[in-house]
């Protein structure tokens, strides 16, 4: 498989590295955070605003778009890029996790995941082949194999059974992709539950298929932070360094920093966008919530060190007023700020690695993280 990933600089003290990921719709600097655009929209922002914040790849969900408006409609309208006016790269998750976390009465069978739509209760069978067909209709640039996301907690035997089923689904996914999807990239997903031996086993099996990149799945599913890191390390230890590693659904700035230190290149998480709509804002000194009355009369920006449009033009008092009044503008202003924070955080990580100062960057982050709120 042609190399679609080029490592630029490695941190001598940790596993952190910068690199470039090449899709047919552009070059992506890594480590990268992918804003989540589940239903063909990064909620409350236009594609121009998302691009203007520096995003070069977003995530969309196969499960949601299959159920509504349907991948065939989107295909008739020229594919997802045309449909949502986003010309840059799109990664589509395959639906396994959403079926596990959203659908009703989900039954995992050898053939696929049988579930009832959370929208209207209609029954579907999502197979590896159908998942690839949907992602082809969406015409996404990076397509994820169909996997089962193993719940937490889960017994060893059940985790082993679901991991081996996932491996069979991934083989079928890859065969389906090889048949008529070669214009895109295809990533495998490791599982293994919270068992170190299964994590290593799954990573070895997935690494032996011929994927462009490897995702670490089944984490950030409610497990303690330390267990997530332990399972991440076990998975990474068996994945080839020369291919991109993608930690699915992660995460907080701290989780991202710890995962970058261990050699993860790609991230996605709803936190910046979802928290924005809940009035929770990320800052260089921790998080603040507009629900707190202390901001009622506070003329300062969310974060005095932030240069985003929101921080250059609006006060905490104004944003809190909008939030308490239910004014829709606040969802946009908060999302602009939180996505700017995450994308700037990633640029800071890349810059620090390139300058050989990643350890210093990490130390500075932890020093500031618990600063008393300003
Ligand atoms: O194992 C997975 N396979 C396919 N997609 C996934 C997506 C995932 N997303 C997460 N976690 C998302 C956690 N997120 C944190 C912020 C609040 C909402 C939930 N784990 C995942 C595992 C998988």
């Amino acid at each position: 498989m042609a190399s679609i990933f080029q490592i630029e600089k490695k941190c001598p003290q940790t596993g952190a590295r910068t690199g470039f990921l090449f899709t047919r719709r552009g070059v992506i600097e890594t480590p990268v955070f992918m804003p989540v655009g589940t239903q063909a929209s990064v909620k409350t922002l236009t594609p121009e605003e998302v691009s203007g914040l520096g995003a070069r790849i977003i995530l969309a969900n196969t499960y949601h778009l299959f159920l509504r408006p349907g991948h065939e409609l989107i295909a008739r309208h020229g594919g997802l890029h045309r449909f949502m006016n986003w010309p840059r790269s799109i990664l589509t998750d395959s639906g396994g996790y959403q079926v596990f976390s959203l659908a009703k009465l989900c039954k995992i069978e050898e053939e696929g995941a049988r579930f009832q739509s959370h929208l209207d209760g209609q029954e579907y069978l999502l197979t590896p082949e159908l998942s690839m067909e949907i992602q082809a209709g969406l015409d996404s640039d990076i397509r994820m194999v169909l996997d089962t996301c193993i719940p937490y907690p889960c017994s060893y035997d059940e985790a082993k059974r679901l991991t081996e089923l996932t491996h069979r689904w991934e083989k079928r996914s890859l065969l389906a992709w090889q048949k008529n999807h070669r214009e895109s990239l295809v990533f495998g997903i490791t599982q293994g539950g919270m068992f170190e031996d299964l994590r290593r086993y799954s990573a070895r099996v997935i690494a032996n298929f011929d994927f462009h990149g490897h995702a670490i799945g089944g984490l950030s599913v409610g497990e303690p932070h330390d267990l997530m890191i332990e399972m991440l390390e076990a998975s990474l230890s068996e994945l080839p360094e020369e291919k991109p590693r993608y930690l699915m659904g992660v995460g907080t700035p701290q989780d991202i920093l710890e995962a970058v230190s261990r050699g993860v290149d790609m991230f996605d998480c709803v936190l910046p966008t979802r928290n924005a709509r809940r009035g929770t804002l990320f800052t260089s000194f921790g998080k603040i919530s507009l629900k707190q009355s202390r901001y009622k009369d506070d003329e300062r920006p969310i974060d005095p060190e932030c240069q985003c449009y929101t921080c250059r033009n609006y006060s905490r008092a104004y944003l809190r007023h909008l939030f308490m009044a239910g004014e829709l503008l606040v969802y946009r202003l908060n999302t602009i700020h939180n996505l700017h924070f995450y994308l700037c955080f990633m640029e800071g990580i890349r810059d620090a690695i390139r300058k050989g100062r990643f350890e210093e960057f990490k130390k500075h982050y932890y020093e500031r993280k618990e600063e008393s709120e300003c």
Side-chain angles (χ1 to χ4, degrees):
M1 213 156 278
S3 170
I4 52 91
F5 182 59
Q6 188 186 323
I7 293 177
E8 176 194 30
K9 182 88 187 311
K10 291 182 181 180
C11 166
Q13 295 87 7
T14 69
R17 75 263 188 95
T18 56
F20 301 99
L21 176 59
F22 302 95
T23 79
R24 59 189 157 150
R25 289 191 170 93
V27 184
I28 295 146
E29 294 180 66
T30 64
V32 62
F33 177 81
M34 302 181 280
V36 173
T38 294
Q39 302 183 107
S41 153
V42 176
K43 288 180 171 52
T44 78
L45 299 187
T46 65
E48 291 80 4
E49 286 167 330
V50 176
S51 183
L53 288 166
R56 293 296 174 264
I57 180 169
I58 62 170
L59 181 141
N61 282 110
T62 299
Y63 170 83
H64 293 81
L65 295 171
F66 167 64
L67 293 181
R68 183 178 56 190
H71 61 294
E72 283 135 345
L73 181 148
I74 292 175
R76 287 198 303 276
H77 288 241
L80 196 46
H81 294 82
R82 181 79 203 82
F83 192 53
M84 69 179 289
N85 186 33
W86 171 260
R88 300 179 185 280
S89 296
I90 298 175
L91 180 148
T92 40
D93 195 353
S94 55
Y97 178 78
Q98 285 72 35
V99 167
F100 151 78
S101 58
L102 273 176
K104 292 180 283 200
L105 302 175
C106 168
K107 279 198 294 291
I108 303 293
E109 302 168 1
E110 183 63 40
E111 183 59 15
R114 189 178 300 281
F115 67 93
Q116 281 189 303
S117 162
H118 71 290
L119 297 177
D120 60 11
Q122 186 166 344
E123 183 174 298
Y124 297 94
L125 177 64
L126 182 62
T127 63
E129 296 78 12
L130 175 57
S131 176
M132 276 300 162
E133 189 186 319
I134 297 166
Q135 295 181 74
L138 303 176
D139 192 26
S140 55
D141 303 291
I142 301 176
R143 298 173 194 175
M144 302 308 295
V145 295
L146 181 65
D147 63 332
T148 68
C149 180
I150 296 170
Y152 173 78
C154 176
S155 73
Y156 182 89
D157 291 348
E158 183 61 358
K160 188 168 193 299
R161 183 183 77 81
L162 289 172
T163 296
E164 288 171 338
L165 174 59
T166 290
H167 294 165
R168 295 193 293 276
W169 283 6
E170 297 201 29
K171 189 69 189 163
R172 288 167 53 190
S173 301
L174 183 56
L175 288 172
W177 178 87
Q178 285 167 342
K179 280 207 182 79
N180 69 340
H181 298 265
R182 289 182 175 273
E183 70 287 354
S184 61
L185 305 180
V186 62
F187 276 29
I189 305 176
T190 69
Q191 289 293 340
M194 302 300 162
F195 303 97
E196 197 167 330
D197 63 324
L198 292 183
R199 280 279 164 189
R200 291 177 189 281
Y201 161 65
S202 185
R204 272 198 306 277
V205 168
I206 299 304
N208 279 327
F209 294 162
D210 192 12
F211 291 118
H212 290 103
H214 303 120
I216 295 98
L219 294 180
S220 188
V221 289
E223 77 281 10
H225 174 83
D226 295 350
L227 187 54
M228 181 182 81
I229 296 297
E230 199 184 321
M231 293 304 112
L232 173 63
E233 289 176 345
S235 305
L236 289 172
S237 66
E238 302 289 346
L239 291 177
E241 283 194 6
E242 69 276 8
K243 292 189 176 181
R245 286 88 168 263
Y246 165 27
L247 179 51
M248 305 187 87
V250 172
T252 65
Q254 179 180 335
D255 288 343
I256 289 172
L257 209 45
E258 290 304 327
V260 167
S261 305
R262 292 163 174 82
V264 175
D265 308 295
M266 300 165 71
F267 300 90
D268 85 273
C269 190
V270 296
L271 273 183
T273 41
R274 183 179 293 182
N275 277 10
R277 299 193 302 280
R278 293 179 179 174
T280 301
L281 300 158
F282 289 90
T283 76
S284 42
F285 46 85
K287 289 188 291 192
I288 64 174
S289 169
L290 295 176
K291 294 174 186 167
Q292 293 181 303
S293 56
R294 69 174 74 177
Y295 302 118
K296 188 173 166 60
D297 201 358
D298 191 336
E299 294 177 69
R300 292 170 296 176
I302 296 168
D303 184 340
E305 296 177 22
C306 180
Q307 289 307 308
C308 82
Y309 166 74
T310 302
C311 288
R312 283 184 283 110
N313 292 285
Y314 305 97
S315 69
R316 294 168 181 185
Y318 177 66
L319 294 169
R320 172 179 157 80
H321 157 65
L322 293 184
F323 188 78
M324 300 310 285
E327 276 296 332
L328 301 178
L329 176 61
V330 75
Y331 302 126
R332 286 176 42 73
L333 296 176
N334 287 358
T335 302
I336 287 167
H337 170 78
N338 276 357
L339 274 186
H340 174 89
F341 180 88
Y342 261 69
L343 294 168
C344 273
F345 183 64
M346 300 313 293
E347 179 55 34
I349 285 174
R350 295 192 294 266
D351 187 53
I353 295 170
R354 286 179 184 134
K355 291 176 177 164
R357 297 195 348 228
F358 177 67
E359 284 282 78
E360 192 185 318
F361 179 93
K362 204 171 148 186
K363 185 165 166 288
H364 179 65
Y365 167 81
Y366 279 107
E367 280 163 3
R368 304 230 41 204
K369 176 172 173 290
E370 300 305 337
E371 249 173 31
S372 62
E373 185 178 299
C374 82

